[in-house]
Amino acid sequence: MYRHRPNVKYKKGFVKDKVYSTPVENLNHLRRKIYQAIANITPQMLQNTWMEVEYNLNMEIFLLVTIPDSPQSCVELNLECDMVEEQHEVMQDRVAVKRKLTVTREEDELNEIEALKKRKLELEIRRLELEVWEKENALHVKHSYLTNDIEEIGDGQ
């Protein structure tokens, strides 16, 4: 009797395949790769996986109803139900992580904006300090010329 089985290894291995496609350098690199892999899971992928699980579950129920005397079908149905429950929990976890990533990205962007504003103010202060220094220097030069002129006038009398 033929039964369609989802490629569970592929579904469970999506994040693993993405994370370990290249060598991991350190723990932070691994963490970043996991977040990126989870962030790449689209709602369409989750919906397709869920539809496949539902289809397989419906097929198992259909086979149970059409062949009620088979004890193996009950065991397989229980396994399938466990698998559906597990995949549902995994999808809920992915959605939670994706939401957390979105909030973290927004916080990072706000922090970066604040850092840029602070740097801009520091540069503006530095520019104003240089402008004051140039004016003070120009006044000092004029003062020197005037002092020399006064001394020459005093020496000439």
Side-chain angles (χ1 to χ4, degrees):
M1 167 169 71
Y2 172 75
R3 292 193 178 163
H4 176 72
R5 295 273 184 228
N7 190 348
V8 176
K9 184 177 179 187
Y10 172 75
K11 302 294 184 206
K12 289 181 181 177
F14 176 80
V15 172
K16 183 179 174 184
D17 290 345
K18 293 287 186 185
V19 170
Y20 292 106
S21 62
T22 58
V24 176
E25 297 168 8
N26 55 39
L27 184 59
N28 285 333
H29 185 238
L30 175 63
R31 190 174 288 131
R32 203 171 37 247
K33 287 178 77 169
I34 291 170
Y35 283 140
Q36 288 172 347
I38 291 172
N40 287 335
I41 296 172
T42 64
Q44 185 63 43
M45 291 168 69
L46 296 175
Q47 186 177 13
N48 290 345
T49 302
W50 186 251
M51 286 172 54
E52 185 176 343
V53 168
E54 280 183 334
Y55 170 79
N56 289 313
L57 184 59
N58 287 334
M59 287 302 293
E60 288 293 325
I61 292 170
F62 173 76
L63 291 173
L64 258 178
V65 171
T66 56
I67 311 171
D69 298 333
S70 172
Q72 188 177 6
S73 296
C74 292
V75 171
E76 289 177 0
L77 180 61
N78 287 335
L79 290 174
E80 192 81 24
C81 287
D82 291 344
M83 187 182 72
V84 168
E85 198 171 306
E86 181 183 329
Q87 287 183 346
H88 184 258
E89 289 172 7
V90 168
M91 284 190 278
Q92 285 179 325
D93 291 344
R94 287 177 182 168
V95 168
V97 168
K98 208 166 192 176
R99 284 184 184 139
K100 184 177 179 183
L101 281 174
T102 302
V103 169
T104 303
R105 274 194 205 121
E106 290 173 1
E107 289 174 356
D108 289 346
E109 289 172 356
L110 289 175
N111 289 340
E112 190 174 337
I113 289 170
E114 289 301 315
L116 289 172
K117 285 180 182 178
K118 182 180 176 184
R119 182 65 181 143
K120 182 180 175 185
L121 288 174
E122 290 170 352
L123 291 172
E124 182 64 21
I125 289 170
R126 182 68 182 135
R127 185 188 65 77
L128 291 172
E129 287 173 346
L130 288 172
E131 200 174 283
V132 168
W133 179 83
E134 287 175 356
K135 288 182 180 181
E136 285 176 348
N137 195 30
L139 287 174
H140 180 70
V141 169
K142 285 181 183 179
H143 180 267
S144 295
Y145 284 135
L146 290 174
T147 304
N148 287 341
D149 288 347
I150 291 172
E151 288 176 2
E152 287 176 13
I153 292 173
D155 287 339
Q157 292 177 348

